[in-house]
Amino acid sequence: MSGTGPGGGARRGGVPGGPTLVILAAGRSTRFGRPKQLEPVGPGGASLLEYAVYDALRAGFGRFVLVVRESQRDEFETRLAPLQTAGVAPSFACQRLAHADLVPLPPPGRVRPWGTGFAVLAAAAPLPRRGPFAVCNADDFYGQPAYESLARALAAPPPGVRAFTVTYPLSDTLSDFGGVSRGLCEVKPDGTLLRMTEGLDLRLDGDASRTDGGAESSAVRPAVVGRTHIGTPIRIDADGPASVGLWGFFPDILPLLAERFRAFVATSPEADDEFYLSEAVSDLAESGQARCGLLRAGGGGWMGVTFPHDRPGVAASLGELTAAGAYPEDLWTTPGRAEPTRPAESPSARPRRAPRAPSRGVAIAPGRINLIGEHIDYNGLPVLPMALDRDIRVDFEVLQQPTVELGGDADHGPFAFRLDRPIEPALRGHWSNYVRAAAKGLLDHGVGLRRGIGGTVTGTVPVAGGLSSSSALVVASALALLHANETHVEALALAALLARAERYVGVQGGGMDQAASLCGAKEHALRIDFEPLRVTPVPVPEGWRWVVASSLARAEKAGSAREAYNERRAQCAEAIERLGRASWLEVVEADDVGFESTLAAARRSLPPTLWRRFRHVATEGRRVFEAEAAMRQRDMAAFGRLMNASHASLRDDFGVSTPALDEIVGVALDAGAAGARLTGAGFGGCAIALCRASRAEDVMAALRERFYTPRGGVGAGALFVAAASDGASVGH
């Protein structure tokens, strides 16, 4: 097997234009006894899923889609963070029992997933509309030559061939510890697939098979026995070709699979019946709708983990391959370096060799205002915030011991914790939890924190104002710790890991705040997309002003509002799952007819609360696209109308506004603002108003007179005009 040597690693990112690899990782692992898709088996702790990505990258694949269960997604994102640092940003598709177009309501008693064929259909939304794709199992090792063979076939398919499967000798794919499932291939004279049968509980027969017309052969040829899914016994040559789930397809296979799945559901299958990809492709081949080429695996055999006792043998084989130079111990190291980086570090995250660590530093991270796109980042939809010209500042000295010792103002007393011990949370709502989250996130990411920091935290971002002071503190703390340890993590990778890390405080937030703080651009808003995370600056037109007004009620997502916030996230997930949609982006990016049809279906099928949550997310997602266009066209009136609609939706459908926020919005609009809305999670905090520079003082005067004076006057930081700023920084 070819490789880059122990010092080589996977290239950063995929090959532009290369095929996509769909990795099926939603299985229940019933025979293994625990989730096995992320089971560490390599010498450096990598899973077979990671070896699949590594081998596919070297074979020229360009994108990756992981099909997982909804409940697994956070774990996969956390465990696969090393891929992000290597420039690989997989998309995720959730396999559910319901699917709006294929099976709107699962039959009563159905718990088992629909099978591998349905899993491929679940991945359709994130797949490119053009270009080939491959499919593999997360718990199988196929070897780089198999991916190379498949990539070559997809680049130049024979006439009429629209599918491929890589085959191995059946006997090479069996387990010593129990029966397995394989696609048993019968071959046409031209080498393409005649038919494929899904064989279950396959294992070597204990008796020798007969050859030469019934005489005992001097060379014993073993046979494999098993059964079909309907119970028909199977006895087959052990050397016959078998498919173990590595496939290649072109996009036109998807409607054919969908047609086959609908026919499968129409037969009223039993609760445990599955829609097998192997048998669906076999049906298409037999009917002449799609020829399927068979690719014999080259050097480097198959390995898999079906049963717990399979794992030691696979681990030993991977150790031998690593020792022989086929793989580095750490798959995500830098090409050409003799010394691998730590498993979860990017090439740029390696400590620089320096005679001594810096003794002091200052880390500054801005807050943000979200211009539009509220409560949709955690649903994977784009948002449009801007970094704020107010920030959180950590002035620190580097400590030679792994300790964090920080203090704040009178309301934020000093605290300390160690980095070389498990980082336990402080009391709920304590400000130190955000610093602890940053440290824990870096450590979980594989960054070594041998040195700590001591110092003072100050800031100009209003605390609990919905302006992301908490995420700014997380970002500033992380930058200070990275600086103290002479380590760098690229901004988008750092934003992604800190978004996951901040969930340590108990709030299941999205990734907008950290990305806005790290990637801010002066005089620009930021279009932030997710899955993968990317940031696009959008120029703020000259003369536009953003008035920020506090409702004088604290919006503490990690405090009193936590349960309400997390409840809404759960309601969004339940709504999209009940409708059977693969993603919110699929809903939002539909054409007008499709979008209205989806809204109508949601209204008919969802309970009233879930319907309102669904309507907010769907329409707010559309408003982000329209608002970006309005900003680029300098159309303040259109942008303002979208802000007004956003606030109404947050108030009426999402239930996160308050009477004070509603009053601020009304006063600002009466005073001449083009648009106004709450910003942030709601439940208190701030509202923003868009107006021309010439009207900003009028809007502020009206708010002072009509909102703040009856409440005792406006305090420091409660009312100001915001400007878009650059992102976070750290230095001496």
Side-chain angles (χ1 to χ4, degrees), residues 231-394:
T232 304
I234 291 175
R235 183 179 181 86
I236 192 171
D237 182 358
D239 295 328
S243 169
V244 283
L246 183 56
W247 298 86
F249 297 109
F250 294 88
D252 53 9
I253 201 76
L254 294 172
L256 298 177
L257 286 178
E259 179 184 350
R260 285 294 190 281
F261 179 75
R262 291 189 182 96
F264 168 78
V265 173
T267 65
S268 300
E270 298 293 332
D272 287 338
D273 289 347
E274 295 186 51
F275 178 62
Y276 295 108
L277 182 60
S278 56
E279 296 194 344
V281 174
S282 178
D283 288 346
L284 294 172
E286 289 189 80
S287 67
Q289 290 181 274
R291 296 175 65 208
C292 178
L294 301 180
L295 306 173
R296 296 186 61 181
W302 172 92
M303 295 184 285
V305 178
T306 303
F307 302 96
H309 289 98
D310 290 324
R311 186 187 178 282
V314 173
S317 297
L318 290 173
E320 293 171 4
L321 288 170
T322 301
Y327 295 94
E329 182 171 331
D330 166 23
L331 298 184
W332 310 113
T333 187
T334 311
R337 287 189 185 266
E339 178 186 355
T341 59
R342 293 175 60 88
E345 291 179 6
S346 67
S348 58
R350 293 171 52 84
R352 296 184 293 274
R353 306 302 184 205
R356 60 193 306 172
S359 60
R360 289 188 165 277
V362 56
I364 301 173
R368 63 96 189 97
I369 56 174
N370 191 18
L371 306 180
I372 198 162
E374 217 65 76
H375 284 278
I376 64 173
D377 60 334
Y378 54 71
N379 291 305
L381 292 175
V383 291
L384 192 68
M386 73 181 196
L388 192 60
D389 55 344
R390 299 189 174 214
D391 52 52
I392 298 295
R393 175 184 177 117
V394 179

Side-chain angles (χ1 to χ4, degrees), residues 1-11 21 23 46-61 64 83 86 88 141 143-144 147 325-333 335:
M1 180 181 294
S2 62
T4 59
R11 62 174 61 89
L21 179 62
I23 303 176
S47 61
L48 291 183
L49 188 160
E50 291 175 82
Y51 279 93
V53 174
Y54 184 90
D55 282 336
L57 279 170
R58 295 193 296 176
F61 282 73
F64 299 88
L83 277 68
V88 181
F141 175 93
Q144 183 184 343
Y147 290 100
Y327 295 94
E329 182 171 331
D330 166 23
L331 298 184
W332 310 113
T333 187

Side-chain angles (χ1 to χ4, degrees), residues 363-365 392 394 396 404 406 417 434-443 447-449 451 453 470-489 493-495 497-499 501 514 518 728-730:
I364 301 173
I392 298 295
V394 179
F396 62 93
V404 173
L406 293 174
F417 62 90
Y434 293 101
V435 183
R436 296 169 194 265
K440 189 175 187 303
L442 293 173
L443 290 168
V447 177
L449 299 179
R451 305 185 190 97
I453 56 172
S470 56
S471 294
L473 177 56
V474 172
V475 169
S477 302
L479 291 178
L481 287 166
L482 289 168
H483 188 74
N485 289 277
E486 300 177 279
T487 302
H488 173 74
V489 176
L494 184 59
L497 81 88
L498 292 181
Q514 301 80 8
L518 279 159
S729 63
V730 63

